[in-house]
Amino acid sequence: MHVSLEEIKKAREVLKGVICRTGLVYTNIISEMSGNHVYLKMENLQRTGSFKLRGAYNKVANLSESEKKNGVIASSAGNHAQGVALAATTFGIQSTIVMPKHAPLSKVIATRGYGAKVVLHGDVYDEAYAEAKRIQAEENSTFVHPFNDPMVIAGQGTIALELLEDLPDVEVVVVPIGGGGLISGMAVALKEMKPSIKIIGVQTQNMPSMVQAIAQKHVVTIDGIPTIADGIAVKTAGNLNFDIVKQYVDDIVTVDEEEIASAILLLLERVKSVAEGAGAASVAAVLNRLSGYKNRKIAALISGGNIDVNTMTRIINKGLVKTGRKVFFDTIISDKPGVLCQLLQLIANAGANVLAITHSRENRDVALGCARVELELETADDEQIYTIKRLMEQRHYNVNIR
């Protein structure tokens, strides 16, 4: 079953007053780093924190009265869950959402807050999907698929209508891919309205299900491995989505975990915007996989911002270490009064700030009369780190950087 431009325009009417029209932001830093003119479509600022409300609401709004009466059920890594829950509650419909056991706690709490019953099952989306289908068969509820559904696809396609109105001369559009619902809807609208646009899909190297489907010319199920981009961690692409992607999408690239984490940190620090892993994948692709594009007008979709705070903390800390703005030293000092003070004074004189310190005499490899000192320092860059290391070694400290 094909999804038409007319159905996407109808979905837009359904969504009036429900969704917010998200902004299109030009970003100097990403433009300079990529050599292009890069605009960000900020669906992380959408209601429920992601684009998923568009498709979920359009689907629920178009259900028959009998389908609504039986309640709805969905499977989701978290963003579709919130969209379905909000849409169902709006229409006074009971909703059940099955999410993976390790779904971000923030997404689980938000889904319950929108009025859904949440069931945690399985380690990945596909296992949650299987459980949702089992419950549906038992309860005769209506299943709201997160991507392999024409009404859902049409709802997601409304993003493209806004994008073309705000940036009619856009040349390249970069979109994350999980099961394929988002890029399917956007690709139909973009290519039907402006065939010259290049559409680039992005998947994580840890879960490249659509990449494999295109390569093998049919939908496949892959094992994959966990990824911080949980919103696009789908083992099996939708067959309807596969057909649309095959017809309309020009290329699909993959990005790794480090590239996604770096994009999250860049968006947070330099663009002042919070993106989850799936949402930052498009920026990771612009910075690392589109070297063939220069001086082009590129729109990258920030599909969601529902990132777990603990995950964000780990990404920030790792990013600070990677860029030389945080470092961990350890060394052995004489266990005498004033020696630790001398070491700390040396670090202070070098302009670094001590964030944490551990002083221990009982380590197995520490000689009697000595102590191991472990330091967590706030630094400016790698040059300052190695300046401190050199100064310490000149004073006969044996320094280990971790």
Side-chain angles (χ1 to χ4, degrees), residues 192-211:
E192 292 293 331
M193 297 177 72
K194 189 178 179 182
S196 63
I197 287 178
K198 295 292 184 184
I199 302 174
I200 310 297
V202 187
Q203 289 203 293
T204 167
Q205 290 179 7
N206 288 12
M207 197 72 72
S209 53
M210 187 66 80
V211 171

Side-chain angles (χ1 to χ4, degrees), residues 77 176-179 202-204 207 209 227 229-234 260 277-278 281 303:
I177 300 178
V202 187
Q203 289 203 293
T204 167
M207 197 72 72
S209 53
T227 169
D230 59 283
I232 53 174
V234 178
I260 296 170
S303 57

Side-chain angles (χ1 to χ4, degrees), residues 221-233:
T221 298
I222 64 170
D223 288 333
I225 55 178
T227 169
I228 58 172
D230 59 283
I232 53 174

Side-chain angles (χ1 to χ4, degrees), residues 85-278:
L86 177 57
T89 299
T90 301
F91 284 95
I93 303 170
Q94 181 180 353
S95 62
T96 300
I97 312 293
V98 184
M99 303 171 71
K101 289 183 293 186
H102 305 295
L105 182 60
S106 59
K107 294 182 179 182
V108 174
I109 293 172
T111 302
R112 287 180 176 142
Y114 287 123
K117 172 187 175 184
V118 175
V119 176
L120 299 177
H121 181 88
D123 292 321
V124 295
Y125 163 77
D126 300 78
E127 293 171 2
Y129 170 78
E131 177 66 7
K133 294 297 288 184
R134 185 192 67 78
I135 295 172
Q136 180 205 14
E138 283 186 357
E139 300 181 355
N140 197 33
S141 50
T142 302
F143 192 80
V144 181
H145 201 284
F147 49 83
N148 201 40
D149 183 284
M151 291 295 175
V152 171
I153 293 171
Q156 321 303 28
T158 60
I159 298 171
L161 303 181
E162 296 176 9
L163 176 58
L164 282 177
E165 288 172 356
D166 292 340
L167 193 67
D169 56 346
V170 63
E171 298 171 271
V172 183
V173 179
V174 185
V175 184
I177 300 178
L182 173 61
I183 200 168
S184 297
M186 291 190 66
V188 169
L190 291 169
K191 287 290 191 179
E192 292 293 331
M193 297 177 72
K194 189 178 179 182
S196 63
I197 287 178
K198 295 292 184 184
I199 302 174
I200 310 297
V202 187
Q203 289 203 293
T204 167
Q205 290 179 7
N206 288 12
M207 197 72 72
S209 53
M210 187 66 80
V211 171
Q212 291 297 318
I214 295 297
Q216 299 184 39
K217 299 182 179 180
H218 63 87
V219 175
V220 296
T221 298
I222 64 170
D223 288 333
I225 55 178
T227 169
I228 58 172
D230 59 283
I232 53 174
V234 178
K235 289 185 174 183
T236 310
N239 60 335
L240 175 56
N241 311 120
F242 168 75
D243 290 338
I244 295 174
V245 168
K246 183 173 62 175
Q247 179 179 353
Y248 288 107
V249 175
D250 296 282
D251 193 16
I252 304 175
V253 299
T254 60
V255 291
D256 65 32
E257 299 298 288
E258 288 290 332
E259 290 164 344
I260 296 170
S262 294
I264 292 172
L265 190 59
L266 178 69
L267 287 165
L268 179 65
E269 187 168 34
R270 302 299 298 276
V271 186
K272 312 305 178 189
S273 187
V274 175
E276 60 188 275

Side-chain angles (χ1 to χ4, degrees), residues 27-101:
T27 167
N28 287 301
I29 181 64
I30 298 173
S31 296
E32 292 169 4
M33 292 172 70
S34 68
N36 292 285
H37 308 287
V38 181
Y39 298 78
L40 305 180
K41 178 63 171 167
M42 309 298 285
E43 281 294 295
N44 56 327
L45 302 180
Q46 184 58 260
R47 286 184 68 186
T48 74
S50 89
F51 73 96
K52 286 286 191 176
L53 177 61
R54 296 175 184 259
Y57 192 94
N58 191 50
K59 174 65 176 180
V60 172
N62 282 279
L63 294 177
S64 67
E65 290 306 313
S66 61
E67 288 174 323
K68 291 177 181 178
K69 184 179 180 180
N70 291 334
V72 296
I73 187 169
S75 53
S76 171
N79 288 337
H80 179 63
Q82 295 174 67
V84 172
L86 177 57
T89 299
T90 301
F91 284 95
I93 303 170
Q94 181 180 353
S95 62
T96 300
I97 312 293
V98 184
M99 303 171 71
K101 289 183 293 186

